[in-house]
Amino acid sequence: SDAFVEDLNHTQGGMLGRMTHVDEVLQESDPKLWAHLNSQGVTPMLYTARWLSSMLAQDLEMPDVLRVWDALVGDLVGPHPLLHFLCSARVVAIRKELL
């Protein structure tokens, strides 16, 4: 489904639904970091919109983009579940700096 169709925004396949899923993945994988970000008013929209809309192309070096995209488009379920886990992992990777 298209992430940019306004009527789909709040569905699982829409942009807001995808951001919510990344937030849920982060909450499950690192509850302390998730709680800290929420207590500081850092919403998933601040850090996931660009990652999800570009499939991380704006934030990785080209060889890494190609490897990530190979995995994303090779996923028969679709790129979304793996992309959501990668976005969450990017936040966890800078955990020390955020806490």
Side-chain angles (χ1 to χ4, degrees):
S1 64
D2 191 339
F4 300 106
V5 176
E6 189 172 346
D7 291 341
L8 297 177
N9 259 347
H10 294 282
T11 67
Q12 184 179 6
M15 185 58 82
L16 295 176
R18 293 175 187 185
M19 288 182 205
T20 298
H21 188 246
V22 172
D23 191 48
E24 291 166 353
V25 170
L26 180 61
Q27 181 181 16
E28 189 174 309
S29 62
D30 195 331
K32 182 178 179 181
L33 177 57
W34 178 86
H36 175 71
L37 292 174
N38 279 299
S39 73
Q40 299 301 307
V42 179
T43 66
M45 187 174 287
L46 294 174
Y47 56 91
T48 61
R50 184 167 100 170
W51 294 342
L52 291 171
S53 63
S54 72
M55 293 194 332
L56 299 171
Q58 295 177 334
D59 296 274
L60 300 175
E61 297 295 325
M62 187 52 70
D64 296 326
V65 168
L66 296 175
R67 281 190 288 276
V68 166
W69 281 17
D70 187 45
L72 292 175
V73 266
D75 187 351
L76 298 177
V77 177
H80 314 308
L82 178 58
L83 181 57
H84 298 170
F85 287 108
L86 289 171
C87 291
S88 178
R90 288 183 60 81
V91 178
V92 173
I94 57 169
R95 182 180 203 278
K96 282 184 180 178
E97 292 84 352
L98 294 171
L99 294 176

